Amino acid sequence: MTLTDLPPKPRGGGHEIRRSWNRLVATHRSVAALFTTLNELRAAQDETRGSISEAHRDQARAAIVFTAAGIDSCLSALLEDALPTLLRTQGDPHKAFMTHFMTTRFKENKVTDATKKAVIAFDPRAALVGLYVEDLTGPSIQGAKDLKRCRDALGLRLDAALDDTTLQAHQSFFNARHEVVHELDIIDAAGKGSRSRRHRDITAVGQQCDGALQLLLAFIAPTARAVRKTRSSLGLATT
């Protein structure tokens, strides 16, 4: 199993995509190395067509964890760095921003202390954007619902590569992440008996991880274009 190569860094994003791109590259490199090691371990077996050991499956489980960490890190950085620019003009990102605060943070006038502190902060806008990013990503991205919220926040709702059906198709990856991270892939036998570990098809895991990393690219590339357009409209440098 090998990952699809990443293309060159998208043009026009400047510092707004630099951190997220670097984190994607680092994640891709780490996950690719895990699969390279796994391939080498399999090749070293006397009979590669034999059953796959739990040690080998643990390599695949590690790839899921690394990929999920990359998703969290990349999307958080992308939102933190790109939103301050995208929110400087009227558009879908600004509409999503206002809607979120009016329906969530200011709902029924039940304003939290964190929101109050952001409003009176030395730089209220930056503080509010920080709260917004926290609300969007939470402790971690849990699945398609969170992906959709991040997409909409960046103004990418109409991007064909990020439509609802595509994002929903990645839910199985996040389900696997939950099973590995929170349950160690352990299945409790019904009634009395021993515990077993959930079967992981290595090829399927590779495809899931590869697809998830390509999905991050699908977030970063159009965001770079949106940033370039916004910067141009404001009369700012676009590189």
Side-chain angles (χ1 to χ4, degrees):
M1 176 65 208
T2 57
L3 299 180
T4 303
D5 291 337
L6 293 176
K9 179 182 177 182
R11 296 180 57 194
H15 74 272
E16 289 91 341
I17 70 162
R18 185 175 299 120
R19 282 200 307 152
S20 58
W21 176 257
N22 289 343
R23 292 178 185 193
L24 172 56
V25 171
T27 303
H28 188 279
R29 185 182 301 118
S30 296
V31 176
L34 284 170
F35 281 112
T36 296
T37 300
L38 178 56
N39 292 337
E40 292 173 348
L41 289 172
R42 288 285 287 157
Q45 288 186 179
D46 292 336
E47 177 53 75
T48 58
R49 291 174 297 179
S51 61
I52 298 175
S53 70
E54 278 303 307
H56 292 165
R57 293 193 197 282
D58 278 340
Q59 289 286 122
R61 293 181 179 107
I64 292 173
V65 175
F66 272 58
T67 302
I71 292 173
D72 293 339
S73 181
C74 289
L75 286 182
S76 292
L78 186 63
L79 291 162
E80 289 170 4
D81 297 343
L83 281 177
T85 297
L86 296 176
L87 292 174
R88 292 184 65 179
T89 61
Q90 296 291 335
D92 288 340
H94 196 264
K95 291 177 183 177
F97 177 74
M98 291 192 300
T99 298
H100 175 78
F101 274 92
M102 295 305 295
T103 61
T104 303
R105 286 275 172 180
F106 299 149
K107 186 177 181 180
E108 299 177 357
N109 295 320
K110 295 179 181 179
V111 182
T112 65
D113 287 341
T115 306
K116 293 176 183 177
K117 290 178 180 178
V119 171
I120 62 174
F122 182 77
D123 187 348
R125 184 69 161 186
L128 289 171
V129 171
L131 286 180
Y132 188 35
V133 173
E134 288 181 13
D135 290 345
L136 290 170
T137 60
S140 64
I141 301 295
Q142 296 295 312
K145 183 178 179 180
D146 291 342
L147 291 174
K148 292 173 186 177
R149 297 198 312 165
C150 293
R151 174 200 65 189
D152 295 350
L154 292 165
L156 306 177
R157 184 174 60 84
L158 299 180
D159 196 292
L162 296 172
D163 64 22
D164 287 357
T165 301
T166 299
L167 297 185
Q168 191 62 47
H170 289 277
Q171 186 61 49
S172 60
F173 168 80
F174 289 97
N175 294 342
R177 171 201 172 275
H178 178 85
E179 292 163 352
V180 171
V181 173
H182 297 289
E183 301 171 4
L184 297 177
D185 254 357
I186 294 175
I187 303 174
D188 290 318
K192 294 182 179 180
S194 62
R195 296 178 176 180
S196 61
R197 299 195 74 185
R198 189 174 278 103
H199 173 78
R200 287 287 167 202
D201 182 272
I202 290 179
T203 299
V205 170
Q207 292 171 345
Q208 285 181 325
C209 292
D210 190 45
L213 293 174
Q214 292 301 312
L215 178 67
L216 287 174
L217 177 63
F219 269 92
I220 295 173
T223 299
R225 293 193 294 269
V227 165
R228 184 181 181 89
K229 182 178 179 181
T230 300
R231 282 182 160 273
S232 178
S233 72
L234 294 170
L236 303 173
T238 56
T239 57

